[in-house]
């Protein structure tokens, strides 16, 4: 059993929302995942347990899909849907979604524009736009390293 707190789970649902936005999926999914993340954050450092997830499921707007993903996280420390979406997104763009504060609409535009480029070309483009996107040198360095390790 994973002894993570609800803040850890909330971060996963926030990432899930950003990935859904990046791919241009149904905006209601992203909103649902963000709502779930907000409800989870209200539980701050409370440890995740089956009982706590069951209690969370009583909240209006927390449905079976969120509960199922929460149980997956409890049992394995990860959410399969994030792994599925990650496999559809070039690594530099996945890292951008995970580690930046770029709005979802902008992430989607970047994804649509860059998804078919090589990983190296994606990083070059992001590096050229770093100041406009608010990306610091450390983040760009991590992007470059991620491409080298691929």
């Amino acid at each position: 059993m994973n002894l993570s707190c609800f803040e850890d789970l909330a971060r996963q649902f926030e990432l899930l929302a950003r990935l859904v936005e990046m791919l241009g999926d149904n905006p209601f999914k992203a909103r649902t995942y963000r709502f779930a993340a907000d409800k989870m954050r209200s539980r701050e450092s409370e440890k995740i347990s089956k009982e706590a997830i069951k209690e969370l499921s009583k909240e209006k707007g927390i449905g079976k899909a969120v509960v199922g993903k929460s149980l997956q996280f409890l049992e394995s420390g990860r959410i399969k849907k994030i792994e599925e979406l990650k496999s559809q997104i070039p690594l530099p763009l996945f890292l951008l979604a995970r580690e930046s504060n770029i709005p979802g609409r902008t992430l989607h535009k970047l994804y649509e524009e860059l998804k078919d480029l090589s990983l190296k070309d994606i990083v070059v483009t992001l590096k050229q736009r770093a100041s406009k996107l608010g990306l610091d040198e450390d983040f760009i360095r991590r992007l470059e390293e991620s491409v080298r390790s691929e």
Side-chain angles (χ1 to χ4, degrees):
M1 176 184 262
N2 192 322
L3 295 178
S4 298
C5 65
F6 271 101
E7 179 59 33
D8 296 334
L9 183 56
R11 280 194 293 271
Q12 294 299 302
F13 274 96
E14 184 62 39
L15 174 58
L16 192 51
R18 291 176 61 73
L19 295 175
V20 164
E21 287 172 328
M22 179 180 269
L23 292 171
D25 201 343
N26 184 334
F28 293 107
K29 284 184 182 180
R31 191 174 1 185
T32 297
Y33 296 146
R34 279 220 170 77
F35 176 80
D38 288 343
K39 290 295 180 181
M40 291 167 190
R41 283 194 174 96
S42 72
R43 293 171 174 261
E44 296 181 6
S45 60
E46 179 183 341
K47 296 292 180 197
I48 302 171
S49 66
K50 285 184 180 181
E51 296 77 27
I53 292 171
K54 184 178 177 183
E55 190 65 32
L56 182 68
S57 73
K58 294 178 183 176
E59 295 268 357
K60 185 177 181 185
I62 303 292
K64 290 179 183 178
V66 168
V67 169
K69 288 171 179 58
S70 299
L71 290 171
Q72 273 179 15
F73 184 77
L74 173 65
E75 293 168 7
S76 69
R78 61 188 193 91
I79 297 174
K80 289 178 188 174
K81 186 68 176 176
I82 291 174
E83 300 302 317
E84 289 172 18
L85 296 178
K86 182 180 178 181
S87 72
Q88 298 174 35
I89 299 170
L91 183 58
L93 296 177
F94 175 81
L95 296 173
L96 193 66
R98 188 179 72 190
E99 299 177 23
S100 76
N101 292 321
I102 295 173
R105 184 172 285 150
T106 303
L107 287 173
H108 177 65
K109 288 178 184 176
L110 286 167
Y111 172 77
E112 287 298 320
E113 178 185 348
L114 305 176
K115 67 182 178 185
D116 296 325
L117 298 179
S118 72
L119 296 181
K120 183 179 178 185
D121 287 343
I122 292 171
V123 171
V124 167
T125 302
L126 292 175
K127 188 174 183 177
Q128 291 168 345
R129 298 181 191 175
S131 62
K132 182 179 178 186
L133 295 171
L135 306 175
D136 63 24
E137 290 177 23
D138 185 49
F139 181 75
I140 295 299
R141 198 171 14 263
R142 288 195 313 274
L143 286 179
E144 290 170 333
E145 288 170 8
S146 75
V147 169
R148 271 187 236 120
S149 66
E150 282 291 304

